[in-house]
Amino acid sequence: MKVILLQDVKSLGKKGDLVEVSDGYARNYILAKKLGVQATSKNMNDLKLQKAHEDRLAAKRLEEAKELAAKIEGIETVLEIKVGEGGKLFGSVSSKEIAQAVKEQHGLELDKKKFVLPNPIKAVGTTNVPVKLHPQVTAELKVTVREA
């Protein structure tokens, strides 16, 4: 029996896959637990429409991420922090502080989890911080740390 999976099923397939399983397995497990539906022409058409809709949404998210990346590339965020001897900061600049400064200075709402900081910023100067907006889109945010 051909079945369209509604959820990921271990060792069988992912959501939206069309798989061939035995009739008993389909009736007693897949259909009973609502992990899939029988592959009728109506269900196949619904699957095509759903995949087309998901593709349009994914393309829209990618386009929005590219637009946001273009905005981020053109801005510079300035943080003023207390500094000790030799230009060393008391503590460090975290992604949370950067996100807050971007929101205050430029009005852009960025999630602190999207910043890819290999190490926290611990010195005065300019640093390019990668911001992962989408699996395919990464922007560089220019962050300048100054003495307060």
Side-chain angles (χ1 to χ4, degrees), residues 59-111:
K60 183 180 175 188
R61 282 191 206 104
L62 178 62
E63 195 61 39
E64 289 171 352
K66 285 181 180 178
E67 289 173 11
L68 185 57
K71 287 181 186 176
I72 289 173
E73 294 282 344
I75 63 174
E76 179 180 1
T77 302
V78 179
L79 293 164
E80 293 189 0
I81 298 184
K82 278 190 174 181
V83 178
E85 291 180 26
K88 289 221 171 201
L89 303 178
F90 292 124
S92 63
V93 177
S94 66
S95 57
K96 181 179 178 182
E97 292 169 317
I98 296 171
Q100 193 173 11
V102 169
K103 184 178 179 184
E104 290 170 0
Q105 295 174 17
H106 306 288
L108 292 174
E109 191 82 33
L110 295 175
D111 186 11

